[in-house]
């Protein structure tokens, strides 16, 4: 996976934590951020698997969070300087990350396909325990994540199903 995806992964993680805040406390915030970052890293690796894909993303831009904000009812002042990060949000990465957060089995299947391109371990995402669920109850709640996950779930499922199909 290309290091060029770092700003997109960071923005997608921040968006998820803003839309689905963790439980109070520093430990909960750290665990929720780890889960969100693992989910967005996995989604980015699948969405932009090559260096060329990452370069095209950098050239064309990820699209921003406007549709996601509208979908979740998020309100933010577009005139403030703290909203520039929202332009780096990639809707598909956030949607796929929401799918992974809502369904650890799906995350594990995706991880198996992208394993060679991912640095580090994804245990908090693929094998969450009670600490992960307690730290991020909103971020792990399938019903709350559904509107975001549904945006691009079909594309993700198609990608995962066709990964094992031999090229004709």
């Amino acid at each position: 996976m290309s290091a060029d995806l770092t700003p997109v992964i960071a923005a997608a993680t921040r968006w998820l934590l803003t839309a689905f805040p963790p439980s109070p406390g520093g430990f909960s915030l750290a665990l929720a951020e780890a889960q969100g970052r693992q989910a967005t890293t996995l989604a980015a690796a699948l969405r932009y698997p090559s260096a060329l894909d990452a370069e095209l993303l950098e050239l064309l831009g990820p699209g921003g969070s406007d549709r996601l904000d509208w979908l979740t009812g998020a309100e933010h002042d577009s005139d403030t300087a703290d909203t520039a990060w929202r332009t780096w949000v990639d809707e598909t990465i956030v949607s796929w990350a929401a799918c992974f957060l809502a369904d650890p089995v799906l995350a594990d299947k995706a991880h198996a396909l992208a394993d060679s391109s991912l640095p580090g371990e994804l245990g908090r995402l693929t094998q969450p325990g009670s600490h992960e669920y307690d730290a991020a109850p909103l971020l792990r709640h399938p019903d709350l994540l559904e509107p975001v996950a549904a945006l691009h779930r079909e594309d993700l499922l198609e990608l995962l199903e066709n990964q094992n199909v031999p090229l004709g």
Side-chain angles (χ1 to χ4, degrees), residues 21-89:
S23 297
F27 183 68
S28 293
L29 176 61
L31 278 178
E33 185 173 356
Q35 294 174 73
R37 185 165 303 276
Q38 288 179 2
T40 57
T41 299
L42 178 56
L46 291 172
R47 178 76 171 143
Y48 304 104
S50 71
L52 179 60
D53 293 318
E55 289 174 22
L56 287 172
L57 174 66
E58 188 173 329
L59 178 67
L60 301 174
S65 68
D66 289 342
R67 183 173 174 202
L68 293 166
D69 292 338
W70 173 81
L71 185 65
T72 59
E75 294 183 25
H76 63 281
D77 184 5
S78 60
D79 293 334
T80 64
D82 191 38
T83 60
W85 65 270
R86 290 180 178 278
T87 64
W88 282 95
V89 174

Side-chain angles (χ1 to χ4, degrees), residues 4 14 21 33 35 40 60 73 104 110 145-146 156 160-161 164:
D4 297 328
R14 185 171 177 181
E33 185 173 356
Q35 294 174 73
T40 57
L60 301 174
L145 291 169
E146 181 56 25
L156 173 63
L160 294 177
E161 288 174 16
N164 295 325

Side-chain angles (χ1 to χ4, degrees), residues 5-19 36-37 39-41 43-44 68 85-86 88-95 97 101 139:
L5 297 175
T6 303
V8 176
I9 291 168
T13 301
R14 185 171 177 181
W15 188 90
L16 283 166
L17 292 176
T18 301
R37 185 165 303 276
T40 57
T41 299
L68 293 166
W85 65 270
R86 290 180 178 278
W88 282 95
V89 174
D90 182 295
E91 181 181 296
T92 303
I93 289 176
V94 171
S95 178
L101 288 161
L139 191 62

